[in-house]
């Protein structure tokens, strides 16, 4: 009887996790412009953020988005060689006195402000353009990952957002 109950619970957990892991935020494509010794990468995003994220930002919670980009050289007989490994953190916040949404690049210190929440997400992909300088060949390939940094949220919010699909990016 215990084995059957454990199997049922594990099956229910698997179904629950599969339902939870689908988000509304997607990376549609990457535009890669290659020159002699550099790459310029611009992601095309579809951010349909949830009401929870908007409420959190409007209530003063700073949201961090991490962009990781890696450039590899394919190696047929061993692990691919990492040529460039770059990480950038963008922090989104709302200032109530000026009624502006501000995005600050924590790596470079540059920041941009937007008048509305919708304008912020419409122009957000322009803020994530990355230029990589490296020698390339025909065997070079690129990997980019964009994610919400849930560890940067206040401690009280971290656990509830862990498996919440509204806080994920595919």
């Amino acid at each position: 009887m215990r084995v059957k109950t454990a199997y049922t619970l594990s099956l229910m957990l698997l179904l629950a996790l599969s339902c939870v892991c689908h988000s509304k935020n997607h990376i549609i494509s990457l535009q890669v412009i290659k020159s002699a010794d550099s790459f310029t990468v611009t992601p095309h995003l579809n951010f349909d953020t949830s009401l929870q994220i908007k409420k959190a930002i409007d209530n003063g919670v700073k949201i961090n988005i991490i962009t990781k980009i890696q450039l590899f050289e394919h190696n047929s007989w061993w692990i691919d060689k990492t040529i460039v490994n770059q990480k950038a953190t963008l922090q989104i916040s709302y200032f109530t006195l000026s009624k502006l949404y501000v995005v600050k690049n924590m790596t470079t210190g540059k920041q941009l402000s937007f008048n509305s929440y919708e304008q912020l997400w419409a122009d957000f992909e322009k803020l994530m353009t990355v230029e990589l300088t490296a020698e390339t060949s025909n065997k070079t390939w690129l990997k980019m990952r964009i994610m919400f940094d849930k560890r940067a949220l206040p401690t009280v919010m971290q656990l509830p957002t862990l498996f919440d699909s509204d806080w994920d990016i595919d």
Side-chain angles (χ1 to χ4, degrees):
M1 185 66 176
R2 288 185 182 178
V3 173
K4 188 175 183 180
T5 306
Y7 177 76
T8 305
L9 286 175
S10 63
L11 183 61
M12 288 173 60
L13 180 63
L14 179 66
L15 289 174
L17 286 176
S18 65
C19 292
V20 165
C21 294
H22 299 287
S23 69
K24 301 174 194 171
N25 305 313
H26 303 283
I27 301 171
I28 296 173
S29 65
L30 291 176
Q31 177 186 8
V32 180
I33 300 171
K34 183 178 176 183
S35 64
D37 62 342
S38 69
F39 282 97
T40 303
V41 181
T42 305
H44 296 285
L45 309 170
N46 179 19
F47 271 2
D48 184 19
T49 58
S50 66
L51 189 58
Q52 289 96 343
I53 294 174
K54 182 174 181 356
K55 283 183 179 179
I57 293 172
D58 288 346
N59 288 325
V61 176
K62 294 181 179 179
I63 305 293
N64 287 348
I65 295 183
I66 298 174
T67 303
K68 292 181 180 179
I69 189 161
Q70 295 174 309
L71 191 62
F72 295 97
E73 184 174 359
H74 178 69
N75 192 345
S76 60
W77 56 273
W78 194 244
I79 300 171
D80 293 346
K81 178 183 173 188
T82 304
I83 301 171
V84 176
N85 192 5
Q86 193 171 351
K87 177 181 171 183
T89 303
L90 300 172
Q91 186 179 67
I92 303 168
S93 56
Y94 179 68
F95 291 94
T96 53
L97 292 176
S98 59
K99 296 184 179 180
L100 290 175
Y101 291 93
V102 176
V103 179
K104 182 177 182 181
N105 187 329
M106 302 302 284
T107 309
T108 63
K110 294 180 182 177
Q111 64 183 25
L112 292 173
S113 59
F114 300 93
N115 293 325
S116 70
Y117 188 76
E118 292 76 22
Q119 182 187 11
L120 163 74
W121 293 110
D123 294 339
F124 194 73
E125 63 189 32
K126 295 174 188 171
L127 301 169
M128 300 183 102
T129 300
V130 178
E131 187 168 334
L132 303 171
T133 304
E135 292 183 23
T136 61
S137 66
N138 292 340
K139 297 180 178 182
T140 307
W141 62 279
L142 177 71
K143 179 170 93 172
M144 184 174 202
R145 183 173 183 200
I146 301 170
M147 64 189 151
F148 286 115
D149 186 6
K150 296 176 186 176
R151 294 174 298 155
L153 292 171
T155 307
V156 176
M157 293 180 66
Q158 288 179 5
L159 187 59
T161 61
L162 190 59
F163 293 111
D164 189 351
S165 64
D166 292 330
W167 289 85
D168 288 335
I169 302 174
D170 285 344

